[in-house]
Amino acid sequence: MHWWKSYWFRPAPLLDLAVLRITAVGLQLWLMASDETVGLQSVKDHAGMPDSTYWPLISLRLALLPFGWGYRPPEDVLVALWWITLVCGVLAFIGFRTNANLVVFAIGSFVINAYVYSFGDLHHRQAVMIMALAVLALSPAGRVLSVDAWRAARNPAAAGLTQPGLLGAQDEFARWPILLLQWFYVLMYFSAFVSKIIVNGPEWINGYTLQYYLIRDGLRFDSAFGLWFAQFHDLIKFSQWVVIIFQATFWVAVLYPITRWVYVPLGLSFHIFILITLKADFYQWMALYVVFIPWTELFRRLSQRREAGTAEYA
Amino acid sequence: MQYAPTTGKQSMHYVLASIVIVAILGIQTWVIAFNTYGRYWPFINYPMYSGIHREGDRLDVYYPVFATFEDASEKQILPSDLEINVFTFQKVFVAAILCAVHGDKPGVYAKRKCKEGELSRVKDLLKSYEGRAGQRIVRLRVADYPLILSRGRPQEVPAETLEVLDLG
């Protein structure tokens, strides 16, 4: 199984993982604070919904199994869980006892989210965030850019870093969470492609389909830009081709990193486009694109360029 | 590439991480292959905007719902009246009305599986609204949205009643 170990567990920069931790935890905290689905008011509103509208997801039933199959937590328990999750999230964000706080934050975020989604209204944006938080909790995500790292630096013998310095710090368990999320993106996009073309058929690319969604969501969510764009049938048909090709071939971006120069900007543009036109806010998908950017390499080049610039002036 | 010798603790860590990798990617692939939708969230498939639409399709912006009160007056019910968002309004409330009309069997327009007790679900969701209105609702009428898709701008058409549910 040498290939397996060399693919998933090759030493990789800890900084890339820390960037993922800060981005994922930071966004989830912002979503909690801004009352997007997982906000406190949203939790309270759902707690007030009639019992007859509560259809607990299987994963929530399993998580709450010790309290009984189909148990519905009362509002005060949910509110307490929300606050505990928030506090642990802040501590995970700054990297204080990172793994322990990430575990609580991931579990709390999962339960809150699963509860809110147990009322017949489930959306696609949050699943990848739950996956990201779960794998971060099992990784050395707090080894740099964290209070833990700062405390460890005061006691170098216990630091455990394979190489000194922020850009040089590596670990064999720093690569798999990032790779796993990259492949998760491939599966999400491939699923979207399969649903459109394999399940429903190639007629999906007829111009009318996307036009329909632009008008429907333009009227539903008051998107003037979406309604304006909906007039251009041929341009919409072309956009549908681009979407299909992008979703079907996203795996190329994982296998051939050079192609990310095309796939990452295209993917971000795609999500920004649907945010503006359809008011579909896939912030989680956009933010977690950080897994496709080699941050350590980027910062190293920037720092080399700055050093070269300083030397020229000296 | 040369690796440092692995300790027992590290070996355990490799095994655990490998199990997590295989489990997450394996379950996600299975969910996509068997099209389970949201049943196993957070492992779900992603059929967003995948339904095919053609010229002449009725635009499903939302199904307007009209309530007839005891005094025979009729008023449209909006999601904000029930303190729910547009998605819950469509997927839970309107779908429950459409299912209840057919005795919890799938109706033509309900876009989810009908479950037991759809009528009581409708009544539960209306309770606080009826309290504020100060009278009971005796009938609900679900209409379709008065627009159809065309190549240029959408065309206005008369709204048609899809279903009527008597609440007794």
Side-chain angles (χ1 to χ4, degrees), chain A residues 4 52 55 59 119 121 124 127 172 187 191-192 200 203-204 206 208-209 211-213 216 220 233-234, chain B residues 10 18 32 41-42 45-46 49-55 60-61 87 91-92 115 121 124 150-151:
Chain A
W4 177 267
S52 59
W55 302 307
S59 52
F119 292 85
D121 178 28
H124 292 91
E172 54 263 71
L187 290 174
S191 170
N200 286 321
E203 197 201 341
W204 187 85
N206 61 6
Y208 290 107
T209 296
Q211 199 177 1
Y212 177 94
Y213 293 118
R216 187 197 69 177
R220 194 182 267 184
H233 181 85
D234 293 327
Chain B
Q10 264 181 319
S18 299
I32 294 169
W41 187 91
N45 56 341
Y46 293 85
Y49 311 107
S50 65
I52 296 176
H53 292 284
R54 302 170 183 91
E55 189 165 26
D60 170 23
V61 177
F87 295 112
K91 294 180 194 173
V92 180
K115 300 166 192 274
R121 198 160 291 126
D124 285 347
S150 71
R151 193 179 172 96

Side-chain angles (χ1 to χ4, degrees), chain B residues 17-28:
Chain B
S18 299
I19 290 170
V20 171
I21 293 164
V22 172
I24 291 181
L25 295 181
I27 297 171
Q28 183 58 39

Side-chain angles (χ1 to χ4, degrees), chain B residues 139-153:
Chain B
R139 187 175 301 122
L140 291 168
R141 181 168 66 85
V142 181
D144 53 12
Y145 200 81
L147 275 184
I148 57 167
L149 183 65
S150 71
R151 193 179 172 96
R153 300 173 69 83

Side-chain angles (χ1 to χ4, degrees), chain B residues 98-110:
Chain B
L98 296 171
C99 286
V101 171
H102 297 276
D104 297 350
K105 291 186 180 66
V108 182
Y109 308 104

Side-chain angles (χ1 to χ4, degrees), chain A residues 150-167:
Chain A
W150 175 75
R151 290 167 72 204
R154 293 169 67 198
N155 181 11
L161 299 179
T162 51
Q163 290 179 41
L166 183 63
L167 296 179

Side-chain angles (χ1 to χ4, degrees), chain A residues 11-33:
Chain A
L14 283 163
L15 178 60
D16 291 0
L17 199 56
V19 171
L20 173 61
R21 182 196 92 229
I22 291 166
T23 308
V25 175
L27 177 63
Q28 181 69 6
L29 285 171
W30 178 73
L31 292 171
M32 289 177 79

Side-chain angles (χ1 to χ4, degrees), chain A residues 2 4-6 8-11 49-50 52-53 55 57-59 110 113-114 117 119-124 126-127 130-131 135 138 172-173 176 180 183-184 187-188 191-192 195-196 199-201 203-204 206 208-209 211-213 215-217 219-221 230-231 233-234 278 280 282 285, chain B residues 1 3-4 6 10 13-14 17-18 20-22 24-25 28-29 32 35 37-55 57-62 83-88 90-92 111-112 115 117-118 120-121 124-125 145 147 149-154:
Chain A
H2 180 74
W4 177 267
K5 198 170 168 185
S6 117
W8 293 99
F9 303 111
R10 192 188 312 155
M49 295 271 286
S52 59
T53 59
W55 302 307
L57 297 169
I58 288 176
S59 52
F110 160 74
N113 218 129
Y117 281 174
F119 292 85
D121 178 28
L122 187 145
H123 297 266
H124 292 91
Q126 192 64 10
I130 297 298
M131 294 299 163
V135 295
L138 303 173
E172 54 263 71
F173 294 107
W176 74 266
L180 176 62
W183 281 109
F184 202 80
L187 290 174
M188 291 194 297
S191 170
S195 302
K196 292 180 182 85
V199 177
N200 286 321
E203 197 201 341
W204 187 85
N206 61 6
Y208 290 107
T209 296
Q211 199 177 1
Y212 177 94
Y213 293 118
I215 298 169
R216 187 197 69 177
D217 288 2
L219 290 169
R220 194 182 267 184
F221 304 118
Q231 301 170 73
H233 181 85
D234 293 327
L278 304 172
F282 280 67
W285 292 40
Chain B
M1 180 171 284
Y3 291 102
T6 353
Q10 264 181 319
H13 202 154
Y14 284 129
S18 299
V20 171
I21 293 164
V22 172
I24 291 181
L25 295 181
Q28 183 58 39
T29 306
I32 294 169
N35 202 12
Y37 192 56
R39 213 164 155 213
Y40 302 107
W41 187 91
F43 296 97
I44 51 174
N45 56 341
Y46 293 85
M48 308 90 83
Y49 311 107
S50 65
I52 296 176
H53 292 284
R54 302 170 183 91
E55 189 165 26
D57 275 8
R58 182 76 70 148
L59 278 149
D60 170 23
V61 177
Y62 57 86
E83 295 164 338
I84 53 179
N85 64 30
V86 67
F87 295 112
T88 308
Q90 286 289 101
K91 294 180 194 173
V92 180
K111 290 180 179 173
R112 65 162 165 80
K115 300 166 192 274
E118 298 282 12
S120 56
R121 198 160 291 126
D124 285 347
L125 284 165
Y145 200 81
L147 275 184
L149 183 65
S150 71
R151 193 179 172 96
R153 300 173 69 83

